[in-house]
Every structure is written in C-alpha cells, then in structure tokens.
Amino acid sequence: MDKYYQLVSSLLLQSKDELISIFVFSLFLILIYFLIAKILSLIFKASTKFFHLERLATINKTIRLILRFILLFILFIFSLNQFKINVNAILTGAGALGAVLILIFQNSLRDVFTGWIFVFEDVFRKNEEVMINNTFKGKVIDFTSRYLILETENNSIIFIPFSQINIIENLTRKNNGS
C-alpha cells in the first residue's frame, strides 16, 4: 500500500502543472455554463408571453443537458491534450465506435429524436386528450425520452414509441379552437 501511495504522489507531483491547467479550465467551463444558463433563463422568461410555460421548461432542460455534454467533451479533449495523449487516434476510434452504436441503437435513437421534434413543435402537452394514429385515444399523462404515455378511457396505460407515431390529433386544442 505504501508503494502505491508513493507512486500516486510522484505522479501527482510530476503532473502538477497539467492538473492546475485542467482545474482552471474546468472553472472556466463552469463559468461559461452558468453564464449561458442565465442567458437562456432570461430569454425563456421573456418568451413566456408567447409560448406555453411547460414547453419552455422542457426546451430549457434539453438545451442545458446538451450544453453540459458539449462542455464535458471539451474538458475531456483538453485534459487529454494536457497530458500529451494523441487525441486524433482516440477521436477516430470514438467515431468508429459511434457508428457501430448508431447502427445497433438506431430504433432507440429514432424514438429519442422524434420525441424531441414533438416536444419542440409543441404537438401535445401533459393532460391533453390526443388520438394517435387514429387508433389510440387517451390523455397524455407523461412522455419519456422514447415513449408517449397515454391513459385511455378505460384507465389502461399505453406506452407508444415516438417512432411509431404517424398521426397525432390533439383533441383538447381542437375542442378549444386553439
């Protein structure tokens, strides 16, 4: 255990400058994240007059999640560069792995992206009555990243993958005239 401690402490001392650079860059990225989040909050607060509040909250949450992934990826690449690790080889391998994963999970990805389109286009909201594909009629009780969850008139719960939705008729807005 003592040898392990000595090895770790010597590695930390040797790479002190790189670790400090990574720490400072991390703080910079955190500052960037909070600055962009604040700007988004101000934009969404000003947009509440024009858009439904729940829709704006969903879009805000999605944009923040995407922003976090982008900033973490930037930090990862910066950290690798600080330790003189060949980023090109890693990115090439990641690209090949990504292509294989896209082929494997293409149906799930189709569900996720189709769901985002439905959310961004404000096709339905929670507690609205909808008719899906002229087959399933019910109240939207929730939606996940892959499924629209409906409660039918006989209180059954139906999970419909977004990629299987071809026609959506929003009965609540149709009846309200909006």
Side-chain angles (χ1 to χ4, degrees), residues 102-113:
I102 286 174
L103 286 173
I104 292 171
F105 295 108
Q106 65 183 343
N107 290 334
S108 297
L109 290 172
R110 187 179 302 126
D111 287 334
V112 169
F113 288 122

Side-chain angles (χ1 to χ4, degrees), residues 141-158:
I141 57 172
D142 201 1
F143 41 92
T144 65
S145 59
R146 292 191 57 210
Y147 298 101
L148 173 65
I149 305 171
L150 287 182
E151 181 177 11
T152 63
E153 293 170 343
N154 61 0
N155 295 330
S156 5
I157 306 296
I158 302 173

Side-chain angles (χ1 to χ4, degrees), residues 6-7 17 23 41 69 83 100 115 130 136 140 157 174:
Q6 288 175 348
L7 177 67
D17 292 338
F23 179 73
S41 294
F69 279 122
F83 289 109
V100 169
V130 293
F136 304 107
V140 177
I157 306 296
K174 180 179 176 181

Side-chain angles (χ1 to χ4, degrees), residues 26-134:
S26 299
L27 291 177
F28 174 72
L29 289 179
I30 290 170
L31 178 68
I32 294 284
Y33 173 77
F34 284 115
L35 182 65
I36 292 174
K38 185 64 176 174
I39 291 170
L40 284 173
S41 294
L42 293 173
I43 290 171
F44 288 136
K45 193 178 287 186
S47 302
T48 56
K49 298 173 186 169
F50 308 107
F51 299 104
H52 197 269
L53 190 60
E54 289 153 351
R55 178 175 185 222
L56 288 174
T58 304
I59 292 171
N60 188 16
K61 193 164 83 171
T62 304
I63 290 174
R64 284 180 183 216
L65 179 67
I66 292 169
L67 180 62
R68 268 187 296 228
F69 279 122
I70 290 170
L71 293 177
L72 284 172
F73 181 74
I74 291 170
L75 178 63
F76 177 71
I77 297 299
F78 179 80
S79 300
L80 292 176
N81 271 334
Q82 286 301 110
F83 289 109
K84 310 292 187 258
I85 296 173
N86 186 2
V87 177
N88 292 335
I90 292 174
L91 289 179
T92 302
L97 178 65
V100 169
L101 290 176
I102 286 174
L103 286 173
I104 292 171
F105 295 108
Q106 65 183 343
N107 290 334
S108 297
L109 290 172
R110 187 179 302 126
D111 287 334
V112 169
F113 288 122
T114 306
W116 283 0
I117 290 170
F118 288 145
V119 169
F120 283 119
E121 290 184 355
D122 196 27
V123 176
F124 51 78
R125 300 179 190 140
K126 284 185 179 180
N127 299 319
E128 288 186 335
E129 286 284 325
V130 293
M131 173 76 80
I132 305 296
N133 297 340
N134 294 322

